[in-house]
Amino acid sequence: MPDQLTDAVILGGNRIPFGKSGGAYATASNQAMLTAALDGLIARFGIAGERVGEVAAGAVLKHARDFNLTREAVLGSALAATTPAYDLQQACGTGLETVIQVANKIRLGQVDSGIAGGVDSASDAPIAVGEGLRKALLGASRARTPLARAKALAAIRPGDLAPETPRNAEPRTGLSMGEHQALTAKEWGITREAQDELAAASHHRLAAAWDAGFFDDLATGFLRLSRDEGLRPDTSVDKLAKLSPVFGKGEGATMTAGNSTPLSDGAALVLLGNQEWAAEHRLPALARFVDAEVAAVDYVSGDEGLLMAPAYAVPRLLARQGLTLDDIDRFEIHEAFASTVLATMAAWESEGFCRDRLGLDAPLGAVDRSRLNVNGSSLAAGHPFAATGGRIVASLAKMLHELGPGSRGLISICAAGGQGVVAILEGC
Amino acid sequence: MADLMQLLTTNPLAKQLGVPQATRLRRGRELPSGPVAVGTAGGGTLARRALDLLGVPVRDALLDRPETRVTETSDDGRSREVPEAYPGRIGALVLDATSATSLADLEHVRGLLRPAMKGLESSGRVVVLGVEPETAGAPTAVATQQALEGIVRSVGKELRGGATANLVRVDLLTAEPTTAQELTSTLSFLLEGRSAYVSGQVLHVGHAAEDPQPLSDRPYEGRIVVVTGAGRGIGAGIARTFARDGALVVAVDVPAGGQGLAEVANSIGGTALQLDITAPDAGARIAGHVAQRFGEAARIHAIVHNAGITRDRLLANTDEQWWGSVLDVNLGAQIRINSVLLEADRPGGLDDGGRIIGVASTSGIAGNRGQANYAASKAGVIGLVRAMGADPRLAERGITVNAVAPGFIETEMTGKMPVATREVARRINSLQQGGTPVDVAEAIGYFADPSSAAVTGEVLRVCGQSQIGA
C-alpha cells in the first residue's frame, strides 16, 4: 500500500443525449443504453480491445434481468472482456458515487484506470407482479407434480393479475419526491418566479452549449437523438409562468412541470485514470478528483426536507478542504427541481440554518449565480437518475480544464432517501 | 418487391431471357489468376519493366494478323477465320503504346486487343499505356495517342464478365519522364481486384521529386489517416479499408452520427472525433486531436475528405441557404481544413509526402437535374484537386492531391432510392451492377499509397464506366 495517495484524474466522458420518458429511447433497455454510452467512450479515447481497471455503474430503476448490468454492458462493448465491472446504487447519487469509488481505488493504487457512471430508463421501467400472483407462480415452480402445479396456479385470483405499478414515492412517507420538495419550497419561501427564472436559464444555457459544440466530445448520438430531447431552447419565463402547479396544494403551490425535472432515459460515463495511465494513452487530464462527502437527513420524521442533504454535505466537505464558497469557480447543483437548488442556496445564506443545523458561527455564504450551472443542468437536459452524476462530472471537468489549472468545481447531488452526494474537482 | 430485378437476374430463366447478368467481381489485393500478357505497339518497354518490378508472371501477347488466323467451323457447317486463341484464359493484357505514333501502330493495338477480347478470364484486365497526347509531337502522333482513349473507352463497354479496360498516360517525352518504379503502384492497382469497379478511365502518372516507396500490402502501417464522414456508408468503407492496410484511423463525423462513428472506430481500433467539418476551428481540432493522441511530432499521412451532404431541389427553387450549405460542407470545409493542415509547422498537420484525397461525384461531371448545388460542389472538388495537384509548393513537399468520383455505390442511402431509379442506375454501366463502398475506398487507398508519389491532380471515376457523366 502506498504511503501517499496517487492523483485520480478525469480524462473525459461520454453520454448519450438524454431522452424524454416514452420518447426516443422508449424501447431501449438499460443495458442497450449503457453499452452505447460505453462504446462511444471507447471510440472517443481509442481504447477498443483494452482492459481498464474497472467499470462501475448502476441504475436506479432496475429489472430483475439487469443483475450484473454493468458487467453485461462491458461484455457487449468493445472493451476487453477481461475488464471487471460492478453495479452500485445510491438513487440519484449513483453516478457520482461510482466516480468516487473509482477515483478512490485509483488514489489507493488499486487500479490505474476506470470508467464510472450510470444509466436509467423511466420508459422501460420494471413492472412487478402483485404479491398474490408472485406467490402463486413461485409455488408452481416449486411443485413437483402436474397436479400440485395446477393447484398452486388455481390459487390465482383475478385481482392478483393487476401489476404493481412503479411509483415515484418514498416508501416511508408515501409522498412523491415532488410532494416532499413542495414542502421544502414552501418552508424556504421559494417563489414561483425564481424557480421559473432558474428553469428558463437552464434551457437557454444548455441550448447555447450544444450550439457552441461544447458537447461534441461529451456526447454521442444514439437512436436518432443527437441532442437532449427535453431541451426547449425557446422557452421563457413568460411561457413557464403559464403552467399550472403539479406539486403542492392550494395557493402556495409553485412547482410546475416546467420547473421540475422531467422523468428521462439516458446513460453517462466518465473515464478516470492516474497520471501515468493518462500519459501512456496521451490523454490530457481535465480535472483532478479532490474529495467527496455524503450526508443524509432525517426526512421521515419531518425534521428536514427530503432533498436537503447536500446542504449538510457541502459545508462539511468545504471545511475539510479549508475552502469557502468563494473559492469555487463552478457550481454544479443538480436541478432535481428548481426549488431544490434555490432552497439549498437559501439554507447556506441563512444565519439560523447555518447556526442551528450546521453549527457554524456565520452563514456559509452566497453562491455566485454567474458560476452556477453555466451550461445548463437537469431541468433542461433531463435526469435519468443514475446517469446524472456522469453527465455532471464530465461536463464540469471539461469546464475546469478550459478555466485552467487550479480552478475549482463543486458538485452537489441530492438523492432519494434523504441523501446528498457532493464532490470537489480541480482543473488541470 | 424491392428486388424484382434481383429475382429476375437470379432466376435460371432470366439468362435465357436475355436479362443482363452481373458478374461477381474479383476484389481486394488479388492479382488475376491467369498470366498477364504483355504486348507493345511501337516498341515501348516501360510496361514490361514495370511488370518485372511487380514480379508478376507474364507471357507475350498474341497478335492477330491475317497469317495467324485459324479456320473455325461451326455446327451448321459454316466456317470463318478467327484469331489465334490463348491456350488458357489470360488474366490481363497490358499493352504498351507509349511509342505509338502512327495509324500503323494503331493497327498493332487492334491486333493485340482482338485475341484478348475473348481470351480474358472473369474480372480480367486490359491496361493500355500511352503518353499525354499534347507531348507526342507531330499531329499524327498526337492523333494516335488520342485515339487510344477512344479505343479503351469502347473496349471497356464491350468487355463482359467483370473485365475492365483502362488507359494510363505517362510522361516519357517531357523533361521528367515517368520511371517504371513510379508506374508500379498504378499498374498493380489496375491489375488487382482493388480496381474492380474502375473501367473506361484515363489516369496520368507523372514524375515525383523523390523515388516512391516500394509497394507493400500494408502501406499505411503506423501511418495516421483521417477520414471524414466515417460513420457510415462509403466513409465507413474507407475507414475499414485503411485499417485493413495498417493505418491508424482517425474517424471523423458529425456528433449526430456518433453511434455509427463509434461502431466503426471501435471495430478498427481507431479513434472517433466528433466534429462539424464546417466549424471554423475544424482543421485545428483535427490537427490537435492527432498531436494529442499520437504526440506532438506525429503528422497525418493522408486526409480523405469524404463527408458530404445533398440538398436536392430544382435551381428555380434554390435560395442562398439551400445552395450554400451544400457548397460549404462539400467544398468550403475541405479548402479551410486543407489550409490548416498544410501549415508547415502545425503539430498534427499533414506530413511531407502526405496525401489529400477529395471525394467528387459523377454528378459533378455530368450534372444532375435538381442537383446544381451538389454538382457545383463536386465539380469544385475536381477543380481544387487539379489546381493543388499542379502547385509546385506541394510537389516540393511530396504532397499529392487527388480525387475519386464515385458513381452508383450500394449504400444505405442508395438503398432508399425508388426501385426503378435504383435498378436503372445499377444497370447503366459497363459492369452492369452497383459498386460497393470498398471499391471507392480501394481507389482512395491507391492515391494515398506512399508508392503513388507520381500521381497527383487526378480525378478517378469509380463508376463501372457509367453512362452518366461519361
Side-chain angles (χ1 to χ4, degrees), chain A residues 32-378:
Chain A
M33 290 193 288
L34 187 60
T35 307
L38 202 47
D39 273 335
L41 183 95
I42 296 161
R44 175 160 305 136
F45 298 103
I47 53 174
E50 280 199 46
R51 177 178 68 84
V52 298
E54 68 178 19
V55 180
V60 176
L61 298 173
K62 217 167 163 187
H63 287 264
R65 65 163 188 256
D66 280 342
F67 90 99
N68 233 0
L69 170 67
T70 310
R71 173 64 182 152
E72 288 301 323
V74 166
L75 287 172
S77 78
L79 278 180
T82 49
T83 300
Y86 59 92
D87 284 29
L88 187 151
Q89 203 227 64
Q90 197 173 36
C92 308
T94 301
L96 183 54
E97 188 63 68
T98 61
V99 172
I100 297 169
Q101 291 278 350
V102 172
N104 283 344
K105 281 202 188 185
I106 291 171
R107 296 168 84 200
L108 283 172
Q110 292 168 343
V111 295
D112 60 358
S113 59
I115 297 170
V119 58
D120 252 300
S121 170
S123 303
D124 189 36
I127 289 178
V129 298
E131 262 317 88
L133 180 57
R134 198 176 71 87
K135 284 190 170 142
L137 290 173
L138 287 171
S141 76
R142 278 194 303 268
R144 290 177 182 268
T145 65
L147 184 66
R149 190 168 301 127
K151 213 170 157 188
L153 293 172
I156 299 168
R157 296 284 163 262
D160 294 338
L161 296 177
E164 291 269 296
T165 44
R167 288 174 312 151
N168 181 15
E170 290 299 319
R172 289 178 186 277
T173 60
L175 293 181
S176 75
M177 226 175 260
E179 285 160 342
H180 266 289
Q181 181 56 36
L183 299 174
T184 305
K186 199 167 181 182
E187 188 187 330
W188 285 96
I190 307 299
T191 67
R192 169 77 185 263
E193 292 69 30
Q195 293 178 48
D196 287 349
E197 263 171 40
L198 191 93
S202 186
H203 283 279
H204 297 157
R205 288 170 171 182
L206 186 76
W210 277 108
D211 288 343
F214 180 76
F215 293 110
D216 278 8
D217 57 359
L218 288 173
T220 300
F222 181 58
L223 298 183
R224 293 164 188 264
L225 209 56
S226 53
R227 284 195 178 194
D228 301 315
E229 202 174 11
L231 173 61
R232 292 188 303 279
D234 56 350
T235 195
S236 64
V237 176
D238 288 346
K239 282 183 189 171
L240 289 169
K242 294 194 180 84
L243 299 173
S244 309
V246 290
F247 300 115
K249 291 188 185 81
E251 273 299 278
T254 56
M255 291 171 56
T256 68
N259 58 37
S260 303
T261 191
L263 287 174
S264 337
D265 309 331
L269 293 162
V270 179
L271 177 65
L272 298 104
N274 62 28
Q275 294 281 14
E276 290 72 31
W277 194 87
E280 257 169 50
H281 289 75
R282 297 189 186 281
L283 297 172
L286 301 180
R288 187 172 70 88
F289 176 87
V290 177
D291 200 358
E293 176 78 18
V294 184
V297 295
D298 177 13
Y299 74 98
V300 183
S301 70
D303 177 60
E304 184 53 273
L306 175 73
L307 303 180
M308 288 301 282
Y312 296 78
V314 165
R316 283 175 3 202
L317 180 61
L318 289 175
R320 184 161 68 229
Q321 288 295 320
L323 298 171
T324 69
L325 289 177
D326 292 336
D327 297 317
I328 305 297
D329 301 287
R330 288 289 177 269
F331 294 89
E332 283 291 329
I333 305 181
H334 159 52
E335 297 167 342
F337 302 90
S339 60
T340 315
V341 180
L342 296 166
T344 303
M345 294 194 301
W348 292 336
E349 288 179 45
S350 156
E351 204 177 324
F353 179 87
C354 290
R355 182 186 60 232
D356 301 340
R357 300 275 169 146
L358 304 179
L360 300 178
D361 300 335
L364 190 70
V367 166
D368 179 346
R369 294 286 291 268
S370 70
R371 300 176 177 184
L372 172 68
N373 297 348
V374 296
N375 285 320
S377 189
S378 307

Side-chain angles (χ1 to χ4, degrees), chain B residues 10-374:
Chain B
T10 50
N11 193 305
L13 269 178
K15 197 168 183 180
Q16 290 172 26
L17 291 170
V19 178
Q21 301 292 297
T23 306
R24 195 182 174 84
L25 304 178
R26 169 168 56 94
R27 286 194 163 91
R29 293 185 174 273
E30 290 290 319
L31 281 165
S33 55
V36 175
V38 198
T40 175
T45 60
L46 186 66
R48 195 176 279 272
R49 281 184 283 130
L51 285 167
D52 281 350
L53 288 174
L54 285 176
V56 176
V58 297
R59 58 152 293 163
D60 287 331
L62 296 179
L63 179 66
D64 174 47
R65 284 168 299 169
E67 58 270 29
T68 61
R69 287 183 197 140
V70 291
T71 307
E72 187 186 82
T73 310
S74 63
D75 291 345
D76 55 8
R78 272 188 289 183
S79 66
R80 55 179 189 149
E81 298 284 292
V82 294
E84 187 188 355
Y86 285 99
R89 297 265 164 183
I90 54 166
L93 170 69
V94 178
L95 199 168
D96 190 333
T98 50
S99 302
T101 53
S102 65
L103 301 194
D105 290 334
L106 287 182
E107 156 55 22
H108 216 72
V109 169
R110 182 208 63 79
L112 288 165
L113 281 168
R114 190 177 177 195
M117 295 305 288
K118 289 196 166 172
L120 279 177
E121 66 182 23
S122 178
S123 289
R125 296 286 189 266
V126 171
V127 180
V128 177
L129 214 58
V131 294
E132 281 298 318
E134 297 83 64
T135 65
T140 311
V142 173
T144 301
Q145 286 297 325
Q146 189 65 43
L148 295 175
E149 188 174 326
I151 294 168
V152 166
R153 291 198 197 274
S154 302
V155 164
K157 291 179 179 179
E158 281 186 27
L159 288 173
R160 287 293 172 264
T164 65
N166 292 287
L167 173 63
V168 180
R169 286 180 177 147
V170 296
D171 292 335
L172 283 184
L173 309 168
T174 58
E176 295 179 323
T178 306
T179 65
Q181 176 73 37
E182 285 165 339
L183 184 60
T184 53
S185 81
T186 302
L187 208 49
S188 71
F189 169 67
L190 290 175
L191 290 175
E192 287 177 9
R194 289 184 288 148
S195 62
Y197 204 56
V198 176
S199 191
Q201 302 306 306
V202 183
L203 268 168
H204 176 88
V205 180
H207 180 68
E210 288 176 39
D211 279 346
Q213 307 249 345
L215 286 181
S216 158
D217 277 359
R218 285 174 69 81
Y220 315 110
E221 197 73 65
R223 294 176 192 263
I224 299 159
V225 175
V226 178
V227 181
T228 69
R232 63 194 191 119
I234 292 175
I238 296 167
R240 290 184 205 283
T241 305
F242 271 108
R244 178 199 71 189
D245 292 350
L248 303 163
V249 177
V250 175
V252 179
D253 214 324
V254 287
Q259 194 178 358
L261 186 69
E263 198 216 316
V264 170
N266 285 338
S267 71
I268 60 174
T271 57
L273 175 60
Q274 295 190 145
L275 175 71
D276 176 355
I277 55 165
T278 62
D281 63 346
R285 281 174 61 187
I286 292 171
H289 178 92
V290 168
Q292 189 192 84
R293 294 300 162 80
F294 303 101
E296 287 281 306
R299 293 289 181 274
I300 296 168
H301 168 69
I303 178 158
V304 182
H305 293 292
N306 165 71
I309 58 167
T310 55
R311 292 278 184 278
D312 295 355
R313 189 174 280 181
L314 294 179
L315 193 61
N317 304 321
T318 300
D319 65 14
E320 68 280 3
Q321 282 193 343
W322 207 257
W323 178 266
S325 58
V326 172
L327 266 293
D328 198 43
V329 173
N330 297 4
L331 182 58
Q334 285 192 34
I335 295 171
R336 289 194 297 271
I337 291 171
N338 285 344
S339 73
V340 172
L341 297 185
L342 283 170
E343 290 170 12
D345 302 324
R346 162 87 59 177
L350 195 73
D351 202 3
D352 286 352
R355 305 277 183 264
I356 296 173
I357 298 114
V359 175
S361 164
T362 47
S363 291
I365 298 167
N368 211 359
R369 186 180 147 86
Q371 285 200 315
N373 51 0
Y374 183 73

